[in-house]
Amino acid sequence: MISIKQINEKDFDLCYELDLKTISLWSKNQWANEFKKEGIRVYGISITNLLIGICVLHVVLDEAQINYFAINNKFRNKGFGSHLMNYLIKVCEKINVSKLYLEVSQSNVTAEKFYSRFEFFTVGIRKNYYKDGTDALLKEKKLITK
């Protein structure tokens, strides 16, 4: 059974473990600190009780940024990322977020295509943003609020 739920800080170890298996973006300490920031919401998608994907959303007033989005490699290209993104967009609309932002490496063509399917458009570039020297594409999606 597929479920999506908000993850709280006591489960940051699960987030760190999934991160290690996917994009290895943050250290264990960074994960612990992320949960302490104001406006942070972490959502996980699970099959039965196995966490297969995570999204970290930072909400500030009527805007939000996706700070982290990853699906376990074994479960990619099966619709789970789309399921999580659709859920996230609905949550943002429900809490009256008007714009949703994210950053993606210019070299990550797969992720860029994925975000384009959800009508995220490039609105800027951060030069040499990543450790490997690649640029970050700043993406924006305008939402319909209720």
Side-chain angles (χ1 to χ4, degrees):
M1 183 167 111
I2 299 169
S3 64
I4 298 175
K5 66 177 184 175
Q6 199 163 349
I7 298 174
N8 61 40
E9 66 181 288
K10 71 177 174 53
D11 292 324
F12 83 91
D13 279 331
L14 291 172
C15 297
Y16 174 68
E17 289 169 23
L18 189 125
D19 185 25
L20 281 177
K21 295 174 188 170
T22 56
I23 57 179
S24 296
L25 188 63
W26 294 340
S27 69
K28 197 171 197 175
N29 195 40
Q30 285 173 301
W31 273 105
N33 288 332
E34 193 70 11
F35 280 94
K36 295 174 185 169
K37 294 177 184 174
E38 191 173 332
I40 290 292
R41 296 173 179 220
V42 181
Y43 296 95
I45 184 168
S46 302
I47 298 178
T48 317
N49 286 326
L50 175 66
L51 183 67
I52 63 164
I54 302 169
C55 177
V56 177
L57 183 69
H58 189 180
V59 179
V60 179
L61 300 173
D62 68 336
E63 297 182 347
Q65 171 145 335
I66 297 172
N67 290 343
Y68 184 94
F69 192 98
I71 301 293
N72 182 313
N73 295 341
K74 294 177 186 175
F75 297 92
R76 288 187 182 166
N77 299 311
K78 294 177 173 42
F80 297 112
S82 294
H83 194 62
L84 182 56
M85 183 60 77
N86 283 322
Y87 180 89
L88 183 70
I89 290 168
K90 286 177 186 166
V91 165
C92 287
E93 289 173 343
K94 197 178 287 186
I95 61 172
N96 293 317
V97 168
S98 62
K99 291 181 184 173
L100 184 55
Y101 296 96
L102 60 84
E103 295 165 351
V104 63
S105 172
Q106 193 168 20
S107 66
N108 191 342
V109 177
T110 303
E112 192 176 353
K113 284 181 185 176
F114 174 78
Y115 295 127
S116 293
R117 288 198 333 251
F118 292 93
E119 299 177 338
F120 280 89
F121 297 100
T122 301
V123 294
I125 296 175
R126 290 195 174 144
K127 295 284 186 190
N128 302 313
Y129 184 75
Y130 293 101
K131 293 176 191 173
D132 65 359
T134 57
D135 298 341
L137 301 176
L138 303 176
K139 301 275 192 181
E140 175 187 279
K141 175 177 178 58
K142 292 184 179 172
L143 300 174
I144 299 166
T145 56
K146 296 177 182 180

